[in-house]
Each structure stands twice: as structure tokens, then as C-alpha cells.
Amino acid sequence: MSDRPIVVAGAGGFIGGHLVARLRAEGRPVRAVDIKPLSEWYQVFDDAENIVADLKLREECERVCAGADKVYQLAADMGGMGFIEHHKGLCMLSVLTNTHMLLAAVDARVSRFFYSSSACVYAADKQLSPDVAPLKESDAYPAMAEDGYGWEKLFSERMCRHFREDFGLATRVARYHNVYGPHGTWEGGREKAPAAICRKVIHAKHRREPTIEIWGDGSQTRSFMYIDDCIRGTLAIANSEILDPINLGSSELVTVNELVDIVEEIAGIELRRSYNLNAPKGVNGRNSDNAMIQRELGWEPSIRLREGMEQTYRWIHDEYIRKYGD
């Protein structure tokens, strides 16, 4: 085990914070990096080397990668569907971060470079129905990625491949499918569906408002992966010999309406539903085909949605009460 630090780029974010926590628990020295002020990080660990830096700048990437053993490149300007639908230019600018981190990693001679891609790379014509066939890794081509964010992710996947081929950088890529859990964004416009629905249900319950707004008609389908499965899979893929991008997601498919049912059950409340058909709702259906990860790792994400949402709801509830009171 190397005593050189592991760089986690995006450490002040949701997944990055959990990854730092796991690496610390394993006794690894961690260099945690994020563009946000330290006071805005979701999790901060005093025994990590915490650095505030704008990784769109090449010199900052060189600074944080110097002397590093491995790099986990999770830094990106992103959020839930409401954010990525209306900030496509900002999402595309993450190619600067990915490009400069790859260049810096080559210069630093790191042993592994992990890149967090997304299921948004998949071709739109394979996601037209709520009764969607699970998406295989090959379904990203012919390319028709989600506009903005999805194209940025697909382009950066190709960069990882070619940096491996041309410069000998050992790159690994996972396509995340809708990660959720505690210690993440739950309000403000960047939150994803599980957190947004928890917040809306909590708000309705505490303000005694009987209605919840749902984006779309509620029939759109997704799979949601709990953060613990995400971190386990990330570490396994990063340390594997899997060269091509691979799905990392749950195969438990639910409609948005069914997700609301779960949160209402946890909260002990039943609400009227107002459907906003003009709000961003993304593709009609998306699920993860896990044949490749089962074959390569003998494992797949398995934490049930009901179990993960229980933990997520309790954490958001406490955060809501802390901020807004009873």
C-alpha cells in the first residue's frame, strides 16, 4: 500500500465526501479537493489534506496531483434534471476539469485514474418508454447522449480511453446511475429526485400542506443506487482490470409515483399529487443492465430502495428541522 496521497477531486460534494470517508477508514492518506469554500463541503475531515481549488485551471490540477498515487476525478458542475436541463453550457465546461486532470495525472505518473461518468451518456432513442429495457454498456453508441451533461460525460470517457492508449495512464470509468443517500444536496435546485421528493414530503407534513408537486406525470421510470453501493463499486472498479466504461447502478426499476409512495410510507402521510407537465423530467425510462459488472466483479449494487430511502429521509428530515424548525 502506497503512502502517497489519493486525490479525490470533488471531495466537497455528495459522492466525493463519502469516498473520502471510506478511504480514511481504510487508513489511506487523502488529498481532498473541491472548488467550494470548506464551509460549504458536505463532509470535512480534519485528518485529510483539504484543498480549495478550481480544477478547470491546469496549474491547479498540477498542484493537487503532484506526488499522488491515485486520482478519483468526481469534480463536475452538475445537479438534478432541473439543473442540467437549464445549465448545459456550465455542464459542458467540466471538460476543462477532466482534460486538465488527465494531463496532470500523466505528468504526476499516478498509478490509477478513476473517472465518474453517467448514465446520461446513453442514446436517447433507447429510453423512450417507461417500460425500458435495461441499458447495456454498448447502448451508448451510436451516440445520442443527453444534451449538454451527457455529451460532456461521453467525450470525457473517450479522453480517458485515449489517454490510456497514447500515454499509458491506467484509466477506469464507471457510469453512475442516479446515486442517492445522506450528506448530499436536498434543496436549492441541484438536488436529484430522491432528495427532492423527501424534502417536498417533509415540507408538506410540517407545514400541513396536503399537496405535493411532481415533475412530469409520474410514470417515468428510473433505478436509484444507494451511496454505500456506489462507493463499494467505485473502489472495486478503480482497482480492477476493467478497461471499458461499466455501469454502476441498481437494477431495481421504479416509477416516480412509486418513489413518492415509498417516501409517503416512511413519513406516515398521504398527499394529493399535482403533476407539473411542463417541468424537466428527463427521459421516459432508464435502468441499468448489470450483466457486465456481475461478470467482472461477481457483484452488483443490492441495497433495496426502501432501505436506502429510509436512511435518506431521516437525514434530510433532521437537516430540514435544523434549518427551518418544527
Side-chain angles (χ1 to χ4, degrees), residues 91-314:
C91 290
M92 292 295 289
L93 283 175
S94 293
V95 299
L96 292 175
T97 299
N98 301 328
T99 303
H100 292 150
M101 284 296 288
L102 282 163
L103 288 166
V106 169
D107 290 344
R109 299 181 182 275
V110 305
S111 65
R112 286 291 165 99
F113 184 98
F114 173 88
Y115 175 61
S116 61
S117 186
S118 166
C120 291
V121 303
Y122 284 113
D125 64 356
K126 296 183 182 297
Q127 303 172 79
L128 299 176
S129 169
D131 187 25
V132 65
L135 294 162
K136 303 183 297 292
E137 284 77 5
S138 59
D139 288 332
Y141 295 94
M144 196 191 305
E146 197 158 299
D147 198 13
Y149 181 70
W151 278 106
E152 175 265 313
K153 289 294 186 184
L154 193 61
F155 174 80
S156 297
E157 285 187 6
R158 302 297 289 190
M159 278 203 300
C160 287
R161 171 181 170 175
H162 297 312
F163 268 69
R164 186 182 75 247
E165 295 168 340
D166 292 358
F167 302 112
L169 179 63
T171 58
R172 302 292 184 265
V173 177
R175 291 173 178 162
Y176 289 164
H177 286 248
N178 295 311
V179 188
Y180 73 100
H183 299 287
T185 305
W186 55 276
E187 65 174 348
R190 291 179 182 255
E191 67 277 13
K192 295 188 176 183
I197 290 171
C198 285
R199 185 200 71 246
K200 289 177 180 180
V201 170
I202 292 164
H203 181 84
K205 183 174 181 178
H206 284 274
R207 299 299 173 89
R208 294 180 173 82
E209 297 176 359
T211 302
I212 180 175
E213 182 186 76
I214 297 173
W215 288 7
D217 64 6
S219 67
Q220 59 270 38
T221 54
R222 296 290 187 276
S223 65
F224 299 97
M225 173 174 55
Y226 190 62
I227 185 63
D228 290 0
D229 275 337
C230 177
I231 298 303
R232 177 179 175 180
T234 293
L235 293 171
I237 292 166
N239 293 307
S240 76
E241 297 307 312
I242 303 169
L243 300 183
D244 294 323
I246 184 171
N247 281 334
L248 182 53
S250 169
S251 58
E252 182 185 356
L253 188 69
V254 296
T255 67
V256 171
N257 277 327
E258 288 169 340
L259 180 60
V260 176
D261 289 342
I262 290 172
V263 179
E264 287 182 338
E265 180 189 343
I266 293 168
I269 192 173
E270 187 171 341
L271 302 168
R272 292 197 299 268
R273 301 180 185 186
S274 172
Y275 294 97
N276 184 348
L277 303 182
N278 296 316
K281 70 180 185 67
V283 296
N284 288 321
R286 177 181 291 158
N287 196 11
S288 178
D289 185 307
N290 286 347
M292 181 177 176
I293 198 169
Q294 290 172 341
R295 182 176 67 251
E296 296 291 339
L297 298 179
W299 172 86
E300 66 173 314
S302 59
I303 297 172
R304 302 295 295 178
L305 182 60
R306 177 62 172 76
E307 177 185 350
M309 287 302 294
E310 177 87 34
Q311 301 301 317
T312 305
Y313 179 91
R314 300 303 174 200

